[in-house]
């Protein structure tokens, strides 16, 4: 095992130093390195020291690829992509997963000979712990890592390191319960169950990804964006991390640090040095702290670039319109007030009003609140068009500056008759445009040099 992990460490270094694009490097790790580790954990004795060395190198390489500092949380790499994580396997979790997988597959074998041997060995191990014949419930509790009742006497000192005792340790580490071990092994965790032996590995992997995602979301600072991204049901918020669609290398170096709030803004730097002022370097106002949301969404000197990011997304939407006529950023004739919705599409007796906004992904309800604010702002136009015998609908079209996608955008796309096939690419491009615009705003804020 030590030799294998040493080879994997060398392979990680070669991938890091290669001329592959960053997303290709991550794909190489998923495709070639992780399966090698999985095989090694199934076929060889596992030493914690070798896994520690491998995991340390893996995290270092991932930080290098994603341009993240050492203080960035490792949970970002092992979290589910639904919260903006990279979705990689934690080697410590993988060790426990493979032990449980091997146990369940043996206990689910279709070969009566193998099954009889497995049941006999399992009952023998539990017998040595209880000093009596175990019930099926006690066998389940043993494999699940319970220390209640007579099972508290179990320890490695009293039992050889069998597959069953290793499974007990792993199930406890993964917080997984095993039931019906003798008849039909069933796993349960977080109010979910799995009875299919063939899918037990993917089931446990999902549980571990969710565990790291919850850890990432629990962080008050580095988990803010993750808490917001979890509200999106579409992979567009993180698809560029897998195929690089619409993303530039400079955007890649920016986005990972932006999502974990590890960019060197004045607000962040004051946490590590008393010599820095948190005041915005452009506003020069004590009321404006230079946080990332302030820079890319609220700083008045940056408003031309912020508007340019907004207009790029609006242009994407107008390019999808192939029916009726539309007006961009114009006052609605005859309507009360001077509000100028971004887009008014007229198709027969149907009117679709869309207003684009890019609120910072500051917490779980940030995108929802922004959409409701836009819809409430222009709801009065529904009555105006009704007086003209036209049916009107108002939508807030929300794309976060760090690539967040509001699920309610789909309703606006339905009204514009955007095909299901094109929507996947459309979401990716909108999210990539938003990230590109935010990076340009940030660099221009720090350097004073306009970005294009």
């Amino acid at each position: 095992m030590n030799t294998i992990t040493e080879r994997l460490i060398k392979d990680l270094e070669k991938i890091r130093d290669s001329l592959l694009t960053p997303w290709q490097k991550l794909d190489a790790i998923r495709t070639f390195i992780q399966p090698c580790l999985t095989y090694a954990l199934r076929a060889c004795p596992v030493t914690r020291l070798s896994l520690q060395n491998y995991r340390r190198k893996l995290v270092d390489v991932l930080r290098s690829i994603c341009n993240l500092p050492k203080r960035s949380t490792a949970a970002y790499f092992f979290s589910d992509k639904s919260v903006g994580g990279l979705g990689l396997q934690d080697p410590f979790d993988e060790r426990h997963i493979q032990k449980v997988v091997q146990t369940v597959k043996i206990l689910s074998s279709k070969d009566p000979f193998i099954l009889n041997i497995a049941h006999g060995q399992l009952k023998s191990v539990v017998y040595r712990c209880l000093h009596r014949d175990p019930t099926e419930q006690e066998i389940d509790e043993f494999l699940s890592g319970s220390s209640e009742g007579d099972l508290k006497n179990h320890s490695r000192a009293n039992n050889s390191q069998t597959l069953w005792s290793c499974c007990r340790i792993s199930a406890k580490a993964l917080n997984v319960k095993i039931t019906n071990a003798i008849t039909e092994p069933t796993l349960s965790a977080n109010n979910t169950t799995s009875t299919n032996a063939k899918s037990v590995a993917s089931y446990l992997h999902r549980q571990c990804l969710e565990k790291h995602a919850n850890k990432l979301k629990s962080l008050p600072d580095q988990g803010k964006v993750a808490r917001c991204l979890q509200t999106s049901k579409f992979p567009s918020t993180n698809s560029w991390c897998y195929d690089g669609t619409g993303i530039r290398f400079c955007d890649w170096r920016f986005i990972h640090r932006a999502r974990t709030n590890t960019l060197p803004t004045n607000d962040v730097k004051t946490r590590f040095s008393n010599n820095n002022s948190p005041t915005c370097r452009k506003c020069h106002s004590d009321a404006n702290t230079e946080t990332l949301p302030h820079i890319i969404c609220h700083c008045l000197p940056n408003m031309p670039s912020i508007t340019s990011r907004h207009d790029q997304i609006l242009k994407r939407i107008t390019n999808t319109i192939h029916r009726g006529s539309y007006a961009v950023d114009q006052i609605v004739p005859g309507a009360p007030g001077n509000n100028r919705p971004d887009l008014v599409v007229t198709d027969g007796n149907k009117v679709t009003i869309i207003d684009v906004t890019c609120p910072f992904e500051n917490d779980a309800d940030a995108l929802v609140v922004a959409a409701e604010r836009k819809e409430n702002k222009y709801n009065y136009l529904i009555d105006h068009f009704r007086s003209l015998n036209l049916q009107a609908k108002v939508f807030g079209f929300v794309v976060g500056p760090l690539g967040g996608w509001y699920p309610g955008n789909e309703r606006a796309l339905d009204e514009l008759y955007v095909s299901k096939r094109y929507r996947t690419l459309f979401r990716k491009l909108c999210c990539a445009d938003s990230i590109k615009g935010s990076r340009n705003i940030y660099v221009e804020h720090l350097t004073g040099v306009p970005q294009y």
Side-chain angles (χ1 to χ4, degrees), residues 149-160:
D150 295 335
L151 291 175
K152 66 182 179 181
N153 299 322
H154 179 271
S155 66
R156 285 189 176 184
N158 299 326
N159 295 273
S160 58

Side-chain angles (χ1 to χ4, degrees), residues 38 60 113 128 131 135 146 186 210 219 237 249 251 300 438:
T38 298
D60 288 344
F113 180 73
R128 290 201 299 271
H131 303 293
T135 64
S146 173
T186 302
E210 183 178 347
L219 300 177
T237 56
F249 291 117
D251 299 334
L300 290 178
S438 298

Side-chain angles (χ1 to χ4, degrees), residues 367-424:
L367 304 184
V368 176
V369 170
E372 291 176 350
R373 185 173 64 249
K374 287 296 184 180
E375 291 171 4
N376 292 335
K377 180 178 179 180
Y378 292 108
N379 268 339
Y380 76 94
L381 292 176
I382 295 178
D383 294 331
H384 167 72
F385 283 109
R386 185 182 295 120
S387 67
L388 302 176
N389 295 322
L390 297 174
Q391 298 178 354
K393 293 182 180 179
V394 178
F395 301 98
F397 198 92
V398 186
V399 181
L402 301 183
W405 178 265
Y406 174 55
N409 294 344
E410 299 301 309
R411 294 184 292 117
L413 297 181
D414 288 338
E415 294 297 321
L416 298 179
Y417 300 100
V418 179
S419 68
K420 300 290 185 181
R421 183 176 182 180
Y422 178 65
R423 285 192 195 189
T424 301

